[in-house]
Amino acid sequence: MAGMWGKARELAQMAPPERNRWVDFLRALSIMAVVFGHWLMAGLYVDGAGQLQRGDLLSTQQWTHWLTWGFQVMPVFFLVGGYSNGVSWDATLRKAELGQVGVYRDWLASRVQRLIAPTFPVLLVWAVIAVVMTQVGLDRAQISDATEAALIPVWFLAVYLIVTACTPLTHKAWQRFGWLSFAIYIPLAMMTDWLTFEMGVEYINFTNFLWVFLAIHQLGFAWREGKFENQIFALGWFVVGLCVLIAITVYGFYPVSMVSAPGGFSNSLPPTLALFALGLAQTGLVLALEPLGRKMLNNIGIWTATVLMNGMIMTVYLWHLTAFVLVMTVVWLAFGGMGLNSVPGTSEWWISRPLWLGIYMVALLPLIAIFSKHERSFGPIRGGRTVPKARVVAGVLLICVGLAMTAAITIASPESLSGIRLWVVAFPFIGAAFLGFGPVYAMVKRS
């Protein structure tokens, strides 16, 4: 870790002065919120009969539903994504004017690479684990639970890749229509919820993955163009978003919880108008804090920590639940469930949280050491060969379908001889091949 810190410090010192460090900090802070949120909300415990049970803090303590307003930070990811994608696409357009580049495939491949490269190892590792556990005769339901718990985070990547692929169109819409290119998504999200909850139209609610997150992504373009520089304006967004959120949850029929919780429908899978309102509130809050945040990041120590986290951010995100599953497996099989005798939400359970969070972090560290090198390990084919746009679109769609199915139905199969759904595992790899990614790992070092 000392070597990683030293490298991060070098990169931190090399950062150009015009770089918006608040973007990187929000990305790092958000990933930590997701990690600790998952570790805190989920929990296994041993019941009075000595059986291992799946625990859920949200099901035992209703007040914890309010905590999800802080831990559900997916909107912040898309806000930061809009800012970053806008910067990257503008740079590509400028180079295209100089005749250097100009291929949509090249730009999209560079954006997809950072996301999909570290995803391949976690898919392969869990595919092997599922096959081995099946062949040794373990209960298939337990195998499915383990793979589902470890791989559920990949749903975000499927949605983010689609939103990113739309950047040329959404960016052009922002340049031409400004705020209207954001506002159009409000009635679309409202109509989707109305069709879902009032008219009972099935599956229409999944379109809100686009309407809600494309809208927040548009706000990233607005942020980059300085539309939120006025702190009063940004605070106004926070207040309006918060008021709408309170109105439709506390006084409306939407659940307070911003993640899936017992006793109601999910506000996040798929998103609802409530998550949209949360995104507006979070946008206003984090952008109102930007001036203070950028001053804070002048501290080389804080900025180095931010750079370090951003250098392994996908590894942390993709493997943190694997660390959780491994810890629980070892505790159950090797130590007979020692320390798991308290039900989530009890005072004893809360007192033990710092210890367990520390254990999860320790378990995650070797996974980071092993797999963080793959953050940029798959490279596109060299030689300047252009992949047709139709093939690019097909590749991204195959990746997204594979990741979405991984999260929705898991890679574990209750019937197949192998124990896994081979097509689910294969789709992301086939999609990467369509995009022109090389089949061999290659370490890509930053200059």
Side-chain angles (χ1 to χ4, degrees):
M1 289 300 291
M4 296 177 67
W5 178 265
K7 181 63 176 177
R9 189 177 181 88
E10 290 180 14
L11 293 172
Q13 293 170 335
M14 293 167 55
E18 66 272 15
R19 185 180 186 91
N20 188 339
R21 299 180 178 186
W22 190 237
V23 174
D24 299 288
F25 179 80
L26 288 180
R27 188 185 294 114
L29 182 66
S30 296
I31 206 69
M32 294 311 299
V34 171
V35 169
F36 283 98
H38 283 160
W39 284 346
L40 184 63
M41 297 298 174
L44 301 179
Y45 68 97
V46 178
D47 62 17
Q51 298 298 313
L52 189 65
Q53 302 291 338
R54 294 180 63 177
D56 185 352
L57 181 62
L58 296 174
S59 65
T60 59
Q61 293 197 321
Q62 190 75 17
W63 68 268
T64 60
H65 290 203
W66 293 96
L67 297 179
T68 63
W69 290 22
F71 283 108
Q72 173 54 282
V73 290
M74 285 304 168
V76 178
F77 275 108
F78 284 90
L79 174 70
V80 170
Y83 188 104
S84 300
N85 287 335
V87 171
S88 176
W89 183 243
D90 270 347
T92 298
L93 293 178
R94 287 194 300 271
K95 292 178 181 178
E97 292 175 355
L98 298 175
Q100 298 177 16
V101 295
V103 181
Y104 171 65
R105 173 265 179 190
D106 292 335
W107 175 83
L108 184 59
S110 69
R111 307 308 287 176
V112 172
Q113 180 185 11
R114 180 70 185 272
L115 296 175
I116 196 63
T119 306
F120 288 149
V122 73
L123 289 177
L124 288 174
V125 166
W126 274 100
V128 171
I129 291 174
V131 169
V132 171
M133 289 193 297
T134 301
Q135 302 313 310
V136 299
L138 294 182
D139 181 73
R140 293 204 178 203
Q142 293 181 351
I143 298 172
S144 180
D145 287 344
T147 56
E148 179 185 8
L151 297 177
I152 192 67
V154 301
W155 75 263
F156 159 73
L157 301 181
V159 180
Y160 189 82
L161 284 175
I162 292 177
V163 171
T164 296
C166 292
T167 294
L169 294 176
T170 55
H171 187 262
K172 187 174 183 179
W174 169 260
Q175 291 181 320
R176 182 171 182 179
F177 301 109
W179 288 110
L180 183 60
S181 69
F182 156 78
I184 187 62
Y185 294 111
I186 299 176
L188 287 174
M190 294 175 66
M191 177 65 71
T192 298
D193 277 8
W194 179 75
L195 290 173
T196 299
F197 300 116
E198 293 294 327
M199 304 303 294
V201 179
E202 295 185 357
Y203 306 117
I204 190 69
N205 54 341
F206 286 94
T207 63
N208 260 349
F209 276 118
L210 289 177
W211 314 142
V212 172
F213 291 128
L214 279 171
I216 304 301
H217 194 261
Q218 292 298 101
L219 294 181
F221 299 151
W223 175 17
R224 180 171 174 253
E225 290 195 1
K227 302 299 183 181
F228 288 91
E229 285 184 355
N230 187 314
Q231 287 182 280
I232 301 300
F233 179 76
L235 285 172
W237 275 79
F238 167 65
V239 171
V240 170
L242 184 62
C243 288
V244 172
L245 181 59
I246 292 173
I248 64 178
T249 55
V250 178
Y251 301 103
F253 79 100
Y254 290 92
V256 168
S257 176
M258 292 295 115
V259 300
S260 300
F265 57 86
S266 174
N267 275 319
S268 59
L269 295 174
T272 65
L273 194 62
L275 189 64
F276 199 152
L278 177 68
L280 299 186
Q282 289 179 339
T283 296
L285 179 61
V286 299
L287 297 188
L289 293 174
E290 182 178 6
L292 292 175
R294 295 181 75 161
K295 290 181 181 178
M296 174 190 70
L297 290 166
N298 288 329
N299 180 292
I300 189 61
I302 299 176
W303 175 229
T304 298
T306 301
V307 172
L308 177 63
M309 176 55 67
N310 274 272
M312 56 186 181
I313 197 165
M314 287 303 302
T315 303
V316 172
Y317 177 73
L318 289 167
W319 289 96
H320 75 280
L321 286 178
T322 295
F324 170 81
V325 172
L326 290 177
V327 168
M328 291 296 101
T329 301
V330 170
V331 169
W332 175 245
L333 295 180
F335 298 97
M338 182 177 63
L340 299 179
N341 55 344
S342 55
V343 177
T346 61
S347 58
E348 182 182 357
W349 185 88
W350 279 109
I351 292 172
S352 68
R353 281 317 88 194
L355 174 61
W356 282 106
L357 292 176
I359 293 173
Y360 301 147
M361 284 190 286
V362 170
L364 181 59
L365 289 178
L367 297 176
I368 293 173
I370 295 170
F371 296 106
S372 62
K373 62 184 178 181
H374 300 307
E375 289 272 343
R376 297 183 183 273
S377 57
F378 275 89
I381 291 176
R382 296 179 180 180
R385 180 167 64 85
T386 299
V387 176
K389 287 185 178 180
R391 181 170 159 182
V392 171
V393 173
V396 172
L397 288 177
L398 282 171
I399 292 173
C400 292
V401 169
L403 296 179
M405 291 300 99
T406 297
I409 63 176
T410 80
I411 62 173
S413 170
E415 300 174 353
S416 72
L417 182 63
S418 66
I420 62 172
R421 295 181 170 94
L422 289 174
W423 66 273
V424 175
V425 178
F427 267 28
F429 293 88
I430 297 173
F434 270 44
L435 284 169
F437 288 142
V440 181
Y441 282 107
M443 292 302 293
V444 178
K445 297 181 180 180
R446 298 180 183 178
S447 59

